[in-house]
């Protein structure tokens, strides 16, 4: 009896995952100690901050000084081998042959029906070494796609910690921290940073439309990286931020988020909710000259037969009431689409939105679009019908984003 | 480099039928066979020096309409008037014999059993008529079916409905049942239950108690209907269907190339443009038609790297582990059996079902059910040739097949000797082909007779997979026919015929002059 109890004890101790239902990022100790309360949300199983102290201040850290955002929960795959390029060419929409070692590109991938499974960034470290970063988990799909290729695929989400350092002073902070090469990095370049305490992979990328970098280190070096950046950035306004402020910056930059601005095809429950790349503004990615890639036949067919029904657009909406979740109407009557993200943009000083509309309303009919906004005014909704205009994305274009070498703010 | 309108991979009977029809339509056709002789599993097999035996020992007739279309009569092949007898060897007061088209008459049963069987047979035949209809139609593929194709299936369904409310209800009730439940509720007696259970599951990875196992019987009966009654016993001596089809294809102008194993399908910008032989020679073609297993076609010749992931996943998941073995015997004396009949050892449902456990658990069955035919040997080296087909012998035997072949031969011969006393001592030569041997000799992954399982999830437009269910494939220019496509295995030529007719309906089907 006693033996049995002991055995049960051992088994129970091996199965205590339920005691910590949310995983903690390697930066959790720093985030938690800076945070004013417990403003956590769930990002792919990890506790991630909505904000640290104040969303407003954090937004201005992105645009005026430097913001640090923990991207460790982002799903990461390491893809290596002789056929890695060929494999990724079949998997993703863009032509990976055009991605040189030491470069990053934004890409997306589809199922056989041409419906987008996810979007993400592809880092090419060398001829045969890649890292794919994305929102959803795809290991079974990646492994099945790898049949016939000499390639090895491992998920390294839990092994690699990532930080985004974004904002005008981000380059100066990295320089201060001892990364001299930062001046040479052009947008989408990758470089290795050998610091005394860690070795990081640094790319000039980000999700803010601002000058910024993303840094990756093994998880056991995570805190060393954090502390190095904060020490170097003390006089340059470095601040930890949460997702809410980042979300504002990304809307201004016109970036879309999987399962917010479009539904990924593996998670969609309703057959008509999935999207072709052309329906979420990613038609430019599709490298039709590649002989085979997932979704090619379906995309060719849909383009030929005019089966694309939706379109993702940037909107400018009159007034200053953010139109999040608003239904769009043509002529204030016929339903035309839905706003998936909207803010009052502090930088553009405009009321902006990202929306999905039916294609037939995007042409000549686009000058009669209206957003139905319910504004809460002292415990009563006031229904506003505001004119919406289709405008170019990104909503803001900052010269410092691409300027090389970056200015020393 | 040689140019053809159509190059056909695999000289099995479906490849030959497709080749004959396409060549006759004026297209320049090459049929490539990896082995020395044409016919694939429909051909005969030399199991000992100078001694050949039919591999498929009991085959359904070629459907009458196709028989006429191919003018097989002219090439010296007749379907014959009546079907061969099926004889159950297992103990009973009298020998159980199914005469004609699947027991149109019975002998060796009680009057009650006879009446029950005829009632059941009538009902099953009526239901199988739907299957017979669908077997000669190109499956309706969602999104790409012609009006004619949709009208054909609607007509067949309506026809079935018009057979009466009661019979239609019975079809809906029974279609997905297991054969054991159907035969037991019909009260046809244990020997007939065993026989029907065996016939419904031979070559499928199912036991008589597995749900949907009645489908296998429908498929068999559908062929009885299409071929106007009865199966035929293949003969080692006379010219078989394989040779006749090869001659017919040749006469129509198709170029038959033996010993020409294809190593890959050439792809240009995602389109199949020809093939490369193992010798290194290349052949260019407007259309490539593969009659070999879809697993070999896509996995080996096209390569998964050239397929979109979802479709490649479907193909890789096809269940293709065979469970049928062959035993060939040469006898120095003709035993107390008659030629031109099929003999079966399947005494009861319980026997067939218990033996199916061996497949589930990768074991050697102790007394597996089997069927065999006996035919004359023409060269005089033996008095008789026996071709045995053994069920429930798993491809992936846990203990491996190295010692397994001998063990299997011995257990079958022991049983045969009990059923036909004295047979064992007259054996002068024998060979066992286990599923891995069939795989190796016939380039057939898994050694599966039907290329992959023929079950409800892999029938009609889902065979071999959605997106390739109407003989076209996601690879432009590549077509498939053969047992891996609708309507599945058996020597009917239907798959080759349907594929050829779809290809001929395609515009620009000819190589530009």
């Amino acid at each position: 009896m006693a033996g049995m109890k002991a055995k049960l004890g051992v088994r129970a101790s091996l199965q205590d995952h339920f005691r910590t239902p949310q995983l903690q990022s390697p930066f959790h100790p720093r985030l938690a100690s800076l945070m004013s309360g417990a403003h956590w949300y769930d990002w792919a199983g990890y506790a991630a901050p909505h904000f640290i102290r104040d969303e407003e201040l954090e937004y201005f850290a992105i645009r005026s000084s430097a913001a640090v955002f923990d991207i460790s929960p982002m799903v990461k795959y390491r893809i290596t081998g002789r056929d890695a390029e060929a494999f990724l060419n079949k998997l993703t929409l863009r032509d990976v042959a055009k991605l040189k070692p030491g470069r990053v590109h934004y890409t997306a991938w589809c199922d056989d029906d041409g419906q987008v499974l996810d979007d993400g960034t592809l880092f090419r470290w060398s001829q045969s070494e890649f890292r794919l970063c994305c929102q959803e988990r795809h290991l079974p799909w990646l492994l099945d796609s790898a049949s016939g290729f000499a390639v090895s695929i491992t998920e390294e989400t839990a092994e690699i910690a990532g930080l985004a350092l974004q904002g005008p002073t981000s380059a100066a902070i990295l320089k201060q921290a001892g990364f001299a090469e930062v001046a040479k990095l052009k947008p989408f370049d990758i470089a290795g940073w050998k610091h005394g305490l860690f070795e990081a992979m640094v790319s000039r990328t980000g999700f803010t439309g601002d000058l910024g970098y993303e840094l990756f280190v093994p998880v056991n070096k995570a805190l060393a990286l954090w502390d190095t950046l904060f020490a170097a950035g003390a006089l340059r306004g470095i601040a930890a931020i949460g997702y809410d402020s980042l979300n504002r910056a990304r809307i201004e930059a016109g970036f879309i988020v999987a399962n917010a601005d479009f539904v990924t095809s593996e998670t969609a429950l309703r057959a008509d909710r999935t999207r072709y790349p052309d329906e979420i503004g990613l038609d430019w990615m599709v490298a039709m000259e590649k002989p085979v890639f997932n979704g090619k036949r379906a995309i060719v067919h849909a383009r030929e037969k005019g089966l694309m029904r939706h379109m993702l657009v940037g909107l400018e909406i009159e007034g200053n009431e953010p139109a999040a979740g608003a239904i769009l109407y043509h002529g204030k009557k016929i339903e035309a689409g839905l706003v998936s993200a909207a803010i009052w943009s502090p930088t553009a000083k405009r009321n902006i939105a990202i929306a999905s509309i039916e294609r037939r309303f995007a042409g000549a009919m686009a000058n009669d679009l209206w957003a139905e906004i319910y504004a809460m005014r002292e415990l009563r909704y006031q229904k506003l019908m505001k004119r919406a205009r289709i405008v170019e994305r990104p909503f803001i274009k900052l010269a410092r984003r691409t300027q090389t070498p970056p200015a020393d703010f | 480099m040689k140019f053809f309108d159509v190059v056909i991979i695999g000289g099995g009977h479906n490849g030959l039928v497709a080749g004959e029809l396409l060549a006759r339509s004026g297209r320049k056709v090459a049929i490539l066979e990896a082995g020395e002789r044409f016919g694939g599993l429909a051909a005969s097999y030399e199991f000992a020096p100078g001694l050949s035996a039919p591999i498929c020992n009991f085959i359904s007739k070629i459907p009458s309409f196709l028989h006429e279309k191919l003018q097989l009569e002219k090439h010296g092949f007749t379907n014959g008037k009546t079907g061969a007898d099926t004889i159950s060897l297992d103990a009973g007061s009298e020998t159980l014999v199914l005469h004609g088209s699947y027991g149109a008459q019975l002998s060796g049963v009680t009057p009650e059993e006879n009446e029950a069987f005829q009632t059941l047979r009538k009902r099953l035949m009526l239901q199988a008529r739907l299957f017979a209809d669908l077997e000669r139609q190109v499956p309706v593929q969602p999104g790409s079916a012609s009006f004619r194709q949709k009208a054909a299936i609607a007509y067949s369904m309506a026809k079935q409905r018009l057979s009466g409310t009661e019979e239609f209800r019975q079809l809906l009730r029974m279609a997905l049942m297991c054969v054991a439940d159907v035969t037991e509720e019909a009260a046809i007696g244990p020997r007939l239950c065993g026989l029907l259970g065996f016939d419904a599951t031979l070559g499928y990875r199912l036991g008589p108690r597995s749900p949907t196992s009645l489908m296998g019987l429908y498929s068999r009966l559908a062929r009885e209907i299409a071929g106007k009654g009865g199966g035929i016993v293949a003969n080692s001596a006379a010219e078989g269907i394989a040779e006749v089809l090869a001659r017919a294809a040749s006469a129509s102008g198709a170029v038959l190339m033996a010993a020409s194993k294809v190593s890959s399908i050439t792809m240009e910008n995602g389109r199949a443009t020809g093939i490369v032989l193992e010798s290194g020679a290349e052949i260019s073609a407007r259309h490539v038609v593969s009659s070999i297993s879809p697993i070999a076609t896509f996995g080996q010749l096209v390569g998964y790297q050239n397929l979109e992931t979802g479709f490649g996943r479907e193909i890789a998941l096809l269940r293709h582990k065979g469970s049928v073995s062959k035993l060939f015997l040469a006898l120095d004396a003709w035993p107390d059996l008659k030629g031109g009949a099929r003999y079966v050892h399947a005494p009861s449902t319980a026997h067939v079902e218990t033996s199916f456990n061996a497949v589930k658990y990768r074991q050697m069955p102790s007394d597996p059910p089997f069927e065999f035919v006996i035919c004359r040997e023409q060269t005089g080296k033996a008095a008789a040739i026996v071709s045995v087909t053994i069920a429930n012998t798993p491809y992936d035997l846990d203990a491996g097949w190295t010692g397994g072949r001998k063990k299997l031969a011995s257990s079958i011969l022991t049983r045969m000797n009990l059923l036909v006393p004295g047979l064992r001592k007259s054996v002068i030569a024998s060979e066992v082909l286990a599923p891995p041997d069939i795989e190796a000799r016939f380039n057939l992954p898994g050694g599966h007779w039907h290329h992959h399982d023929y079950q409800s999830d892999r029938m009609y437009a889902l065979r071999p997979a959605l997106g390739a269910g109407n003989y076209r494939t996601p690879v432009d220019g590549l077509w498939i026919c053969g047992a891996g496509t609708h309507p599945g295995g058996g020597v009917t030529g239907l798959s080759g015929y349907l594929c050829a007719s779809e290809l001929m309906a395609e515009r620009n089907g000819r190589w530009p002059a």
Side-chain angles (χ1 to χ4, degrees):
Chain A
M1 202 59 198
M4 200 174 184
K5 254 193 189 157
K7 259 189 203 161
L8 274 176
V10 171
R11 277 169 57 194
S13 71
L14 290 172
Q15 296 177 8
D16 64 346
H17 56 282
F18 63 92
R19 292 183 205 283
T20 46
Q22 259 186 339
L23 299 169
Q24 294 185 349
S25 137
F27 299 110
H28 192 87
R30 297 294 182 269
L31 290 167
S33 69
L34 289 172
M35 196 178 268
S36 61
H39 323 297
W40 305 104
Y41 75 102
D42 187 289
W43 176 7
Y46 285 85
H50 271 298
F51 55 92
I52 307 295
R53 279 165 188 268
D54 183 283
E55 181 190 338
E56 205 74 23
L57 289 177
E58 287 165 27
Y59 168 80
F60 284 104
I62 300 172
R63 293 289 180 232
S64 312
S65 55
V68 174
F69 181 69
D70 176 12
I71 53 172
S72 307
M74 195 163 60
V75 175
K76 300 177 278 289
Y77 296 103
R78 183 177 161 76
I79 297 162
T80 56
R82 180 163 46 83
D83 292 340
E85 179 184 299
F87 159 72
L88 286 161
N89 256 338
K90 169 178 151 176
L91 180 79
T92 64
L93 296 174
R94 291 182 75 177
D95 188 351
V96 182
K98 290 183 180 160
L99 179 66
K100 294 194 177 67
R103 296 282 292 165
V104 184
H105 73 200
Y106 171 53
T107 188
W109 48 103
C110 293
D111 59 20
D112 287 26
D113 298 325
Q115 306 300 300
V116 178
L117 281 164
D118 209 347
D119 63 347
T121 42
L122 181 63
F123 295 70
R124 185 167 202 170
W125 185 243
S126 72
Q127 195 60 32
S128 60
E129 292 170 290
F130 294 84
R131 173 177 292 155
L132 184 65
C133 296
C134 52
Q135 187 72 14
E136 302 286 324
R137 291 183 197 262
H138 298 283
L139 195 57
W141 182 257
L142 298 191
L143 292 175
D144 283 354
S145 300
S147 278
F149 292 106
V151 63
S152 117
I153 300 164
T154 40
E155 171 154 4
E156 51 179 16
T157 306
E159 282 82 59
I160 301 292
L163 277 186
L165 176 67
Q166 304 279 309
T169 63
S170 54
I173 291 170
L174 285 177
K175 203 170 151 194
Q176 173 84 28
F179 182 44
E181 256 188 88
V182 69
K184 283 190 286 182
L185 281 187
K186 292 190 289 294
F188 299 108
D189 273 355
I190 312 173
W193 175 18
K194 282 199 172 97
H195 185 273
L197 298 171
F198 54 82
E199 270 185 46
M201 183 178 99
V202 186
S203 60
R204 186 167 169 185
T205 50
F207 209 50
T208 58
D210 216 306
L211 171 65
Y213 302 86
E214 288 173 321
L215 301 98
F216 296 94
V217 290
V219 286
N220 60 353
K221 303 291 183 193
L223 297 181
L225 171 68
W226 179 283
D227 295 342
T228 302
L229 293 180
F230 275 76
L235 297 177
R236 285 189 163 84
I238 196 167
I241 64 162
Y243 181 71
D244 295 1
S245 54
L246 181 80
N247 189 42
R248 289 205 208 181
R250 75 93 185 172
I251 295 173
E252 290 181 325
F255 294 138
I256 55 172
V257 173
N259 287 326
D261 299 295
F262 69 96
V263 182
T264 60
S265 91
E266 250 178 359
T267 56
L269 298 177
R270 296 164 181 82
D272 64 342
R273 300 302 199 272
T274 61
R275 292 290 183 265
Y276 289 102
D278 303 39
E279 294 180 311
I280 55 170
L282 303 182
D283 41 343
W284 58 273
M285 278 184 182
V286 184
M288 278 300 175
E289 66 278 8
K290 293 194 291 181
V292 179
F293 61 87
N294 286 335
K296 179 177 181 179
R297 289 175 63 83
I299 295 168
V300 168
H301 180 73
R303 283 182 179 178
E304 273 172 9
K305 303 273 172 188
L307 301 180
M308 311 282 187
R309 292 185 50 229
H310 304 276
M311 196 167 194
L312 191 129
V313 293
L315 293 179
E316 188 177 331
I317 295 167
E318 71 174 324
N320 61 5
E321 192 67 37
I327 295 176
L328 294 169
Y329 291 92
H330 176 259
K332 299 190 183 178
K333 277 202 186 79
I334 309 160
E335 200 175 318
L338 182 88
V339 171
S340 55
I343 53 159
W344 164 260
S345 161
T347 303
K349 303 282 187 287
R350 291 189 287 161
N351 195 23
I352 59 171
I354 293 170
S356 240
I357 63 169
E358 279 183 48
R359 232 154 230 257
R360 60 197 170 110
F361 296 111
M365 293 167 100
N367 54 14
D368 199 9
L369 287 178
W370 299 82
E372 184 185 50
I373 306 167
Y374 286 80
M376 178 65 96
R377 299 277 185 261
E378 297 179 321
L379 288 185
R380 181 170 298 174
Y381 274 120
Q382 192 175 340
K383 190 171 110 176
L384 310 170
M385 243 334 163
K386 294 292 185 183
R387 187 174 278 280
R389 228 160 27 84
I390 296 179
V391 295
E392 285 279 298
R393 283 182 298 147
F395 299 100
I396 58 159
K397 261 188 181 164
L398 300 169
R400 62 175 179 259
R401 187 184 80 84
T402 50
Q403 190 188 328
T404 310
D408 189 8
F409 288 107
Chain B
M1 197 191 296
K2 289 180 186 156
F3 291 86
F4 288 92
D5 291 322
V6 183
V7 55
I8 295 174
I9 304 169
H13 79 281
N14 276 310
L16 293 171
V17 167
E20 200 279 344
L21 294 169
L22 289 165
R24 200 189 320 160
S25 75
R27 289 171 175 80
K28 214 178 142 197
V29 177
I31 307 176
L32 311 175
E33 166 58 41
E36 290 297 333
R37 46 173 110 178
F38 283 81
L41 289 173
S44 54
Y45 173 73
E46 190 174 325
F47 65 97
L51 292 169
S52 290
I55 304 161
C56 290
N57 49 23
F58 182 76
I59 56 179
S60 51
K61 292 178 184 171
I62 298 281
S64 325
F65 83 95
L66 194 53
H67 198 274
E68 281 163 32
K69 201 176 268 290
L70 295 168
Q71 296 169 299
L72 292 182
E73 206 87 33
K74 202 179 84 185
H75 292 284
F77 191 83
T78 59
N79 250 347
K81 284 221 160 50
T82 54
D85 289 350
T86 289
I87 302 167
S88 168
L89 282 170
D90 297 295
S93 55
E94 270 184 87
T95 309
L96 168 63
V97 185
L98 273 64
H99 301 282
S101 175
Y102 211 76
Q105 290 87 40
L106 283 187
S107 54
V109 291
T110 65
E112 293 77 23
E113 282 174 342
N114 184 48
E115 201 189 327
F117 178 82
Q118 292 307 339
T119 308
L120 177 64
R121 181 183 174 279
K122 195 177 153 203
R123 174 158 284 164
L124 290 175
M125 279 292 193
L126 194 60
Q127 296 174 350
R129 204 177 59 181
L130 177 62
F131 287 75
D133 272 10
L134 297 188
E135 288 205 338
R136 54 184 287 189
Q137 296 172 11
V138 174
V140 170
Q141 189 82 12
S144 65
S146 68
F147 175 76
R148 239 186 92 205
Q149 289 168 4
K150 288 184 209 165
I153 186 173
Y155 175 71
S156 302
M157 296 298 282
K159 203 170 73 179
Q160 202 67 24
R161 178 63 188 83
L162 291 174
S163 63
T165 306
E166 176 57 21
E167 287 307 322
F168 195 68
R169 278 184 186 154
Q170 288 292 344
L171 171 66
L172 297 181
R173 181 182 74 91
M174 291 162 67
L176 296 178
M177 280 176 75
C178 74
V179 64
D181 287 346
V182 170
T183 52
E184 278 168 17
E185 72 182 19
I188 54 176
R191 281 188 299 165
L192 279 166
C193 285
L195 178 63
L196 267 61
F198 172 77
D199 280 349
T201 56
L202 180 63
Y204 307 101
R205 216 177 169 82
L206 294 173
R209 292 212 181 277
S210 311
T212 75
S213 56
L214 184 63
M215 290 268 186
L217 198 58
Y218 283 140
S219 173
R220 184 179 279 256
L221 296 180
R223 278 134 203 216
E224 302 270 337
I225 295 168
K228 300 243 165 79
I232 43 177
V233 166
N235 193 328
S236 75
E239 202 169 41
I241 184 72
E243 289 81 4
V244 174
L245 286 173
R247 212 172 47 230
S250 214
S252 294
V255 179
L256 273 64
M257 297 163 71
S260 302
K261 190 168 184 195
V262 176
S263 65
S264 68
I265 292 172
T266 328
M267 306 272 288
E268 236 168 73
N269 199 19
R271 190 188 160 86
T273 54
I275 57 96
V276 183
L277 292 175
E278 267 188 355
S279 65
E282 288 184 45
I283 298 177
S284 198
R286 182 98 180 78
H287 297 280
V288 176
V289 175
S290 177
S291 71
I292 67 171
S293 150
I295 295 116
T297 303
F298 293 108
Q300 296 162 16
L301 303 186
V302 174
Y304 287 116
Q305 69 276 16
N306 291 316
L307 296 170
E308 293 191 20
T309 303
F311 182 74
R313 194 185 244 179
E314 289 272 302
I315 297 298
L317 288 174
L318 290 178
R319 303 181 299 270
H320 64 281
K321 285 177 190 150
S323 57
V324 170
S325 295
K326 290 297 305 186
L327 168 65
F328 302 109
L329 302 172
L331 308 180
D332 62 3
W334 188 274
D336 183 21
L337 297 167
K338 61 171 184 165
R342 174 174 73 125
Y343 289 90
V344 180
H345 163 59
S348 67
T349 299
H351 184 98
V352 181
E353 181 68 26
T354 309
S355 141
F356 171 62
N357 285 341
V359 180
K360 286 192 280 184
Y361 307 119
R362 301 194 297 271
Q363 301 298 313
M364 179 67 82
S366 61
D367 178 19
F370 56 82
E371 65 172 29
F372 67 87
V373 301
I374 178 162
C375 39
R376 300 258 170 225
E377 211 286 319
Q378 296 293 299
T379 60
K381 289 186 173 138
I385 297 287
V386 179
S387 170
V388 192
T389 303
I390 309 155
N392 297 336
T393 51
Y395 170 83
D396 47 355
L397 203 59
D398 260 349
W401 274 101
T402 318
R405 292 179 191 88
K406 218 171 182 177
K407 212 171 136 190
L408 180 65
S410 158
S411 93
I412 298 296
L413 278 172
T414 305
R415 172 56 66 185
M416 285 177 88
N417 207 46
L418 286 172
L419 300 170
V420 187
L423 184 132
R424 186 170 207 156
K425 66 174 190 306
S426 62
V427 174
I428 51 172
S430 71
E431 187 183 356
V432 170
L433 290 185
D437 305 320
I438 296 172
E439 172 178 61
R441 282 176 208 279
F442 299 98
N443 186 33
L444 185 57
H448 198 304
W449 276 30
H450 302 292
H451 292 188
H452 60 100
D453 270 5
Y454 186 72
Q455 288 179 21
S456 54
D457 66 320
R458 290 287 169 227
M459 290 169 82
Y460 196 61
L462 297 173
R463 188 166 185 84
L466 203 60
N470 59 3
Y471 310 101
R472 292 169 187 79
T473 72
V475 178
D476 287 334
L478 175 63
W479 300 71
I480 46 173
C481 63
T485 64
H486 174 79
V491 185
T492 64
L494 280 169
S495 167
Y497 157 73
L498 291 170
C499 175
S501 61
E502 278 297 275
L503 199 154
M504 286 190 274
E506 195 91 328
R507 278 192 304 150
N508 305 322
R510 297 184 71 167
W511 187 263

